[in-house]
């Protein structure tokens, strides 16, 4: 949806907390620099994506076997795209099983998918 959003309409609580937790300033001046607020004080569509009312969602599923016909579990995440990314990463991490191998007497554990591969897949998802 293309348009300008009244500042009273959009809530960006998760995004505010995200930047605060990261120790990064996220005041009105920063929002204008990032083009989240227009000169006349409206939020932009980019701000809508970061808002708690974001209209898009991320859907994740764990399939039974290699076919795509039977789900073991599935979940849909909504809210700010930052929250969706955090929630999807946590969900995928729970489903990322570890395998063990042995090198001599030492047991070596490794996940099925490395963390960097999960991060990359999620970041590519948003840029598609």
């Amino acid at each position: 949806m293309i348009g300008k959003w009244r500042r009273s309409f959009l809530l960006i609580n998760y995004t505010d907390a995200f930047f605060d937790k990261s120790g990064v300033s996220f005041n009105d001046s920063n929002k204008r620099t990032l083009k989240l607020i227009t000169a006349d004080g409206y939020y932009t569509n980019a701000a809508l994506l970061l808002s708690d009312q974001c209209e898009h969602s991320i859907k994740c599923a764990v399939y039974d076997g290699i076919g795509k016909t039977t789900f073991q579990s599935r979940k849909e995440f909504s809210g700010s795209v930052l929250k969706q990314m955090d929630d999807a990463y946590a969900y995928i991490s729970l489903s990322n099983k570890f395998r063990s191998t042995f090198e001599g007497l030492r047991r070596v554990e490794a996940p099925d998918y490395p963390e960097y591969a999960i991060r990359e897949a999620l970041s590519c998802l948003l840029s598609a």
Side-chain angles (χ1 to χ4, degrees):
M1 176 179 290
I2 298 176
K4 293 180 180 177
W5 302 90
R6 292 190 186 278
R7 293 195 58 192
S8 60
F9 175 74
L10 291 183
L11 300 174
I12 54 172
N13 298 331
Y14 191 88
T15 301
D16 282 334
F18 180 89
F19 279 99
D20 187 49
K21 185 178 177 181
S22 301
V24 176
S25 178
F26 193 61
N27 56 36
D28 281 354
S29 175
N30 301 119
K31 292 172 188 172
R32 280 190 177 81
T33 300
L34 293 170
K35 307 256 190 260
L36 300 177
I37 300 175
T38 62
D40 53 355
Y42 286 93
Y43 279 126
T44 63
N45 288 329
L48 177 62
L49 292 173
L50 294 174
S51 76
D52 299 346
Q53 293 95 337
C54 178
E55 299 170 347
H56 304 283
S57 63
I58 294 176
K59 297 175 185 175
C60 296
V62 177
Y63 293 100
D64 188 25
I66 60 172
K68 294 183 181 176
T69 57
T70 306
F71 292 109
Q72 283 184 353
S73 66
R74 61 183 169 177
K75 193 144 175 120
E76 184 172 358
F77 304 101
S78 60
S80 164
V81 292
L82 296 173
K83 181 179 185 319
Q84 291 180 44
M85 293 286 283
D86 285 344
D87 292 347
Y89 183 80
Y91 175 76
I92 293 168
S93 294
L94 285 175
S95 301
N96 194 12
K97 296 183 170 82
F98 278 80
R99 63 184 182 286
S100 296
T101 58
F102 290 90
E103 294 175 5
L105 295 175
R106 179 184 286 185
R107 178 176 158 166
V108 178
E109 293 188 349
D112 286 339
Y113 303 101
E115 283 186 35
Y116 69 85
I118 296 170
R119 274 194 312 271
E120 183 67 20
L122 285 171
S123 65
C124 289
L125 170 81
L126 284 183
S127 64

